[in-house]
Amino acid sequence: KNEVEQSPQNLTAQEGEFITINCSYSVGISALHWLQQHPGGGIVSLFMLSSGKKKHGRLIATINIQEKHSSLHITASHPRDSAVYICAYMNRDDKIIFGKGTRLHILP
Amino acid sequence: DAGVIQSPRHEVTEMGQEVTLRCKPISGHDYLFWYRQTMMRGLELLIYFNNNVPIDDSGMPEDRFSAKMPNASFSTLKIQPSEPRDSAVYFCASSFVDFSNEQFFGPGTRLTVL
């Protein structure tokens, strides 16, 4: 069964804090995406991972294929990072499965 | 490039009416995806195209939904007849290759069916 669990569902933190959002899945995958959905509704693709780690600015994404787990980290968080973060993967049957998202709120 | 363009941005219609959503992908992208987002179900893939050909439409909820891509620069998602449970935000996205590559999302169409 294709499942994906994101944690936490909601996260409120102070500006400057280090943020970690987790994504666990239950089946073998070929690629995992991290998406950011802004309060206005727009969606931006942050990372696509098939192994290892990627970094872009203050954002870092990691994936452990054996443990079926990925994390998104935000260093020196800022109020403009407030958004919903969604992980999604394509399984080996080429089906795209989305997580429910983590709602992040960074307080100034 | 202007990015992925969707129209209309908002659509309010009455139950039973036909609704057509439009999408213009980024030039040169071979893949086009239609997604639906609701509070209850989150984001769901409805259908995707490769080089204008539908590859996987298993996410299309029922026969009332149909999607076409007559050429590389245009796609439509049609709902006929529409029902209140179709109310959602519909996103179109495009990419150079399949889901193993970065996707570029349009701004979405917010559909309300009364």
Side-chain angles (χ1 to χ4, degrees):
Chain A
K1 184 180 178 183
N2 297 310
E3 290 183 344
V4 56
E5 292 290 332
Q6 283 191 239
S7 63
Q9 287 186 316
N10 295 283
L11 177 58
T12 298
Q14 289 293 139
E15 182 174 357
E17 287 189 39
F18 181 81
I19 303 299
T20 296
I21 298 170
N22 298 297
C23 175
S24 296
Y25 49 93
S26 57
V27 298
I29 68 170
S30 55
L32 183 137
H33 287 249
W34 281 100
L35 308 174
Q36 179 191 54
Q37 186 164 28
H38 297 287
I43 298 176
V44 174
S45 176
L46 296 175
F47 295 103
M48 190 286 297
L49 293 162
S50 55
S51 65
K53 173 181 174 179
K54 286 189 176 179
K55 184 176 189 293
H56 181 68
R58 295 180 294 105
L59 301 178
I60 303 166
T62 63
I63 189 167
N64 185 316
I65 296 292
Q66 287 73 30
E67 294 186 4
K68 297 184 173 59
H69 181 267
S70 177
S71 293
L72 177 68
H73 305 285
I74 305 174
T75 62
S77 60
H78 189 276
R80 64 175 175 264
D81 298 325
S82 298
V84 176
Y85 293 84
I86 301 167
C87 68
Y89 66 85
M90 174 173 275
N91 65 16
R92 297 195 190 281
D93 295 324
D94 293 339
K95 298 299 181 189
I96 298 174
I97 311 296
F98 290 92
K100 297 291 187 194
T102 293
R103 187 174 298 276
L104 176 65
H105 186 40
I106 302 297
L107 300 172
Chain B
D1 201 315
V4 176
I5 298 172
Q6 290 187 249
S7 66
R9 294 292 307 275
H10 302 272
E11 176 82 26
V12 180
T13 191
E14 292 188 343
M15 182 174 65
Q17 296 298 306
E18 177 180 295
V19 175
T20 299
L21 311 181
R22 297 172 176 80
C23 176
K24 182 181 187 322
I26 292 173
S27 177
H29 282 189
D30 290 333
Y31 282 78
L32 183 141
F33 303 77
W34 280 102
Y35 297 100
R36 179 173 68 175
Q37 186 177 38
T38 62
M39 289 292 290
M40 289 292 292
R41 299 173 67 91
L43 268 168
E44 303 172 282
L45 173 68
L46 298 177
I47 185 172
Y48 74 92
F49 294 83
N50 177 22
N51 290 320
N52 315 334
V53 176
I55 302 301
D56 184 356
D57 65 355
S58 59
M60 296 285 263
E62 47 197 274
D63 292 345
R64 298 183 297 106
F65 285 68
S66 63
K68 294 181 180 179
M69 193 164 185
N71 57 63
S73 59
F74 183 67
S75 178
T76 59
L77 178 67
K78 185 177 293 187
I79 308 172
Q80 165 64 19
S82 58
E83 297 183 2
R85 60 191 167 125
D86 302 330
S87 297
V89 180
Y90 291 81
F91 290 97
C92 174
S94 70
S95 64
F96 281 113
V97 292
D98 61 14
F99 199 69
S100 63
N101 195 247
E102 180 181 6
Q103 299 214 322
F104 294 82
F105 284 79
T109 295
R110 182 174 296 276
L111 173 65
T112 302
V113 183
L114 303 173

